[in-house]
Amino acid sequence: MCNAGDCFKYYRLEEEAGLLNYNIKIALTRTKVCYSVSFLLILALIRGISSPEEIGAAMDANVALLAIIFCSDTYYQEIQDNRWEVFNLLPDRNRYHTICQRLLLQVLYISLLISLDYWVFYLQKAVYWNETGKLRLYITAVLACSASVLFFGTLSFTMVNVFRNLWMGIGATFLLWNTLNSTAGKKIPDCINVFAYGNSPKMAGSVDWIFGKLVAVVVSVLLIYFNKRFLVWKKGLR
């Protein structure tokens, strides 16, 4: 028979597990799962590559675009489903942790899809399976693309909270994505360019792009912290 302290601990563990399951259902809806899987499968099957070195470059900007849509309504769902008034009754700390957990669940989910979808590219040519260095290229691509997902997913979520409007938030983030993914964006120094890895397959053999990804991760962490002040919407909801 457990003592009062152990019983309370087990109760808290069960409560946290229940909250995690609830957040998974909210963050990863059937609609999101369906369109994300379809998007990445289509990308892997129709996006032509000439060598395995190009797989990561082919995925980088595209998975970032997916993250913009996928993560944009992390908090906005509470408004769409008419739960925001009840949700805002929670203590600030609990509300903030819940939203952060949902955001990170979405980022981890897309990263998992990336790790699986990577190998679908190999179906284009059977000869790719005979290439050397597959594991190194795989790990590099997954980590690089996951950094882009974290940055653009967090930025999209933040912009929606700032503007208090779903489409304005998505539009503002897409504008930055389009700029960084353009010819002008390629002129940005690799050390601060989140898309330096994907701009050229040759960057996979360099280390300059790593700094751009690290900058993106640091900015993402700061944005997540910055969102503390935007998690209570009382007016101007759209």
Side-chain angles (χ1 to χ4, degrees):
M1 183 175 181
C2 66
N3 57 42
D6 289 337
C7 289
F8 178 76
K9 180 176 67 175
Y10 294 145
Y11 170 77
R12 290 287 297 173
L13 289 173
E14 290 180 358
E15 186 179 52
E16 290 175 2
L19 180 60
L20 176 60
N21 290 333
Y22 175 75
N23 284 333
I24 290 174
K25 291 179 181 179
I26 297 297
L28 306 177
T29 62
R30 290 183 180 179
T31 300
K32 286 189 171 185
V33 170
C34 288
Y35 77 66
S36 59
V37 170
S38 300
F39 176 83
L40 289 178
L41 280 177
I42 293 172
L43 174 67
L45 293 175
I46 69 173
R47 176 64 164 81
I49 57 172
S50 58
S51 68
E53 285 81 1
E54 296 183 2
I55 297 177
M59 298 180 71
D60 196 25
N62 288 294
V63 295
L65 181 61
L66 172 63
I68 292 175
I69 305 299
F70 200 92
C71 300
S72 61
D73 64 349
T74 301
Y75 176 52
Y76 197 82
Q77 289 182 79
E78 299 298 324
I79 299 165
Q80 290 177 315
D81 297 335
N82 297 316
R83 298 189 304 261
W84 73 277
E85 290 182 328
V86 175
F87 184 74
N88 284 339
L89 293 176
L90 295 174
D92 291 347
R93 181 181 179 88
N94 291 2
R95 186 168 62 250
Y96 176 69
H97 286 171
T98 297
I99 293 300
C100 287
Q101 186 178 71
R102 293 178 188 176
L103 177 65
L104 293 178
L105 282 169
Q106 292 173 330
V107 171
L108 288 173
Y109 165 75
I110 297 178
S111 296
L112 176 61
L113 286 187
I114 292 169
S115 67
L116 298 174
D117 189 65
Y118 180 92
W119 300 108
V120 180
F121 280 88
Y122 276 74
L123 298 178
Q124 295 187 19
K125 290 184 181 180
V127 69
Y128 290 159
W129 292 100
N130 298 324
E131 297 281 346
T132 58
K134 290 192 296 292
L135 183 59
R136 175 183 60 82
L137 292 173
Y138 170 70
I139 294 175
T140 300
V142 171
L143 292 178
C145 292
S146 295
S148 295
V149 168
L150 175 63
F151 175 72
F152 279 97
T154 303
L155 182 62
S156 177
F157 158 67
T158 302
M159 289 296 99
V160 171
N161 290 341
V162 169
F163 289 115
R164 300 184 180 186
N165 182 292
L166 182 65
W167 296 110
M168 285 182 66
I170 292 175
T173 311
F174 175 77
L175 182 62
L176 177 63
W177 175 89
N178 190 58
T179 301
L180 295 177
N181 198 38
S182 65
T183 303
K186 294 180 180 179
K187 297 178 181 179
I188 299 174
D190 296 332
C191 60
I192 58 172
N193 188 352
V194 66
F195 284 147
Y197 170 80
N199 283 339
S200 174
K202 294 180 180 179
M203 288 300 299
S206 173
V207 296
D208 292 343
W209 63 267
I210 295 177
F211 296 103
K213 296 296 185 182
L214 289 176
V215 169
V217 171
V218 171
V219 172
S220 300
V221 173
L222 293 176
L223 287 175
I224 291 173
Y225 178 79
F226 180 68
N227 270 278
K228 277 187 175 182
R229 62 180 299 181
F230 292 108
L231 294 184
V232 179
W233 295 2
K234 295 182 180 179
K235 297 179 181 179
L237 303 180
R238 301 177 179 86

